Amino acid sequence: MEGKAHQPAAPQSLCNTWLDLVRENAPLRAHMPEGEFRITWLIGSTLGQISGVVDRWLFLRVQKMLETGELIRVSGPYVPDG
């Protein structure tokens, strides 16, 4: 298999995977580090592992998890200088 280019999944395969996940109706699953981490790390890591998910959806899901207490904010939002 060495030297063989990675072939992206066929659209129908991605559609079937998505439909399976919708039927499962599970909460967002992510491997998160112990302790503190940046939300940007969580979103970037998740985007790298799950195709077909957009960053805005992940951001909104994280906001909901903060509201329900599934995640706890330990610092305020980033505010750039200037």
Side-chain angles (χ1 to χ4, degrees):
M1 237 186 187
E2 195 170 296
K4 187 174 183 179
H6 171 72
Q7 296 294 320
Q12 186 59 48
S13 174
L14 293 174
C15 181
N16 290 338
T17 300
W18 178 251
L19 291 174
D20 289 343
L21 291 171
V22 169
R23 281 190 289 272
E24 185 180 318
N25 197 25
L28 174 65
R29 292 168 298 235
H31 172 69
M32 299 186 334
E34 294 290 327
E36 297 177 17
F37 61 92
R38 294 183 184 269
I39 294 301
T40 53
W41 174 88
L42 174 63
I43 291 173
S45 176
T46 305
L47 288 173
Q49 295 176 29
I50 304 173
S51 61
V53 177
V54 295
D55 57 350
R56 176 136 175 89
W57 183 88
L58 291 170
F59 177 74
L60 293 173
R61 181 66 183 116
V62 166
Q63 283 187 319
K64 190 65 169 178
M65 292 174 82
L66 288 167
E67 289 175 15
T68 63
E70 295 171 80
L71 291 176
I72 299 169
R73 183 185 305 251
V74 294
S75 65
Y78 170 74
V79 178
D81 293 334

